[in-house]
């Protein structure tokens, strides 16, 4: 009877040992899984850190590019405003030149004298406008390129006559 109980206990011990070995194998498998999960976690943490660094770089690049774009837009707007001003001035000068050309071509009378006569009479004061004058011998002459910069129109009494003449013509042209 003791022998039967001993054999029974030995069988139970063998079963417990087999269970214990099975549990040890399971534990080893779980430890391998755990180490695999930990390595994956470390890899993911590393990737996350890299992504955060890239995000910070991207944000700084975006800010820098936005500042550049804003600066470029301001410069563009300034240039567009300048172009509009230049276009407006060019149009004004073109209109003035057209008006002067049409007046000169038609021989309009001003103050009882034909304009073409008046212009011809100015040659004695200024010389030929297309001859080289003074220190600007390389360029085309102009009544404004005289040696004395203060005496632009030859004499004090004639200083604003050309401008007044075009102003009068412009006013007459505008009333028509």
């Amino acid at each position: 009877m003791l022998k039967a109980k001993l054999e029974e206990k030995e069988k139970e011990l063998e079963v417990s040992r087999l269970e214990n070995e099975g549990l040890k194998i399971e534990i080893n498998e779980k430890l391998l899984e755990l180490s695999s999960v930990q390595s994956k976690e470390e890899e993911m943490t590393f990737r996350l850190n890299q992504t955060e660094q890239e995000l910070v770089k991207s944000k700084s690049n975006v800010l820098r590019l936005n500042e550049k774009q804003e600066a470029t837009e301001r410069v563009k707007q300034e240039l567009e405003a300048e172009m509009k001003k230049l276009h407006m001035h060019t149009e004004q000068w073109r209109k003035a030149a057209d008006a002067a050309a049409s007046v000169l071509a038609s021989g309009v009378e001003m103050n009882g004298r034909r304009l073409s006569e008046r212009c011809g009479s100015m040659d004695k004061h200024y010389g030929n406008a297309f001859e080289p004058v003074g220190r600007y011998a390389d360029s085309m002459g102009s009544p404004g390129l005289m040696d004395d910069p203060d005496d632009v129109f030859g004499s004090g009494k004639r200083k604003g006559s050309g401008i007044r003449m075009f102003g009068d013509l412009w006013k007459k042209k505008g009333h028509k």
Side-chain angles (χ1 to χ4, degrees):
M1 191 174 206
L2 274 172
K3 217 174 193 181
K5 275 190 175 188
L6 185 62
E7 283 178 19
E8 193 178 312
K9 292 289 181 187
E10 282 180 13
K11 283 183 184 177
E12 284 179 19
L13 183 63
E14 187 65 30
V15 168
S16 292
R17 195 175 331 142
L18 288 176
E19 276 182 30
N20 198 9
E21 284 179 24
L23 288 174
K24 282 182 181 180
I25 291 172
E26 246 183 83
I27 287 174
N28 285 336
E29 288 174 358
K30 295 296 180 183
L31 285 175
L32 286 175
E33 284 180 25
L34 180 63
S35 66
S36 172
V37 167
Q38 284 177 341
S39 68
K40 285 181 182 178
E41 180 184 2
E42 288 172 1
E43 184 181 335
M44 294 301 280
T45 303
F46 178 73
R47 285 184 184 175
L48 180 64
N49 288 337
Q50 281 183 332
T51 306
E52 286 176 348
Q53 289 174 354
E54 289 175 8
L55 179 65
V56 168
K57 286 180 184 177
S58 295
K59 283 183 179 179
S60 66
N61 283 343
V62 165
L63 290 175
R64 184 178 49 83
L65 290 175
N66 282 340
E67 289 172 358
K68 272 186 178 180
Q69 182 182 12
E70 290 172 2
T72 303
E73 285 294 323
R74 284 192 300 268
V75 169
K76 179 184 172 189
Q77 289 173 350
E78 290 171 4
L79 288 175
E80 285 177 350
E82 186 67 24
M83 288 293 292
K84 285 179 184 177
K85 286 179 187 176
L86 289 173
H87 182 69
M88 181 181 65
H89 289 270
T90 303
E91 281 297 310
Q92 289 175 344
W93 279 105
R94 185 190 59 77
K95 288 177 183 177
D98 288 346
S102 66
V103 166
L104 291 174
S106 65
V108 171
E109 287 190 23
M110 242 177 109
N111 298 332
R113 295 175 65 188
R114 292 188 63 78
L115 187 60
S116 58
E117 292 172 6
R118 184 173 179 164
C119 291
S121 67
M122 291 179 161
D123 284 342
K124 65 183 175 185
H125 295 287
Y126 308 126
N128 186 354
F130 295 105
E131 288 181 7
V133 177
R135 64 181 183 261
Y136 298 100
D138 295 346
S139 61
M140 296 299 283
S142 170
L145 295 176
M146 304 299 272
D147 287 336
D148 185 8
D150 295 332
D151 193 14
V152 177
F153 289 105
S155 67
K157 65 181 183 178
R158 288 191 174 263
K159 270 194 178 171
S161 65
I163 295 172
R164 264 187 261 119
M165 176 181 62
F166 282 118
D168 293 341
L169 289 174
W170 205 321
K171 287 177 187 174
K172 286 181 181 179
K173 198 111 170 130
H175 291 298
K176 286 184 179 180

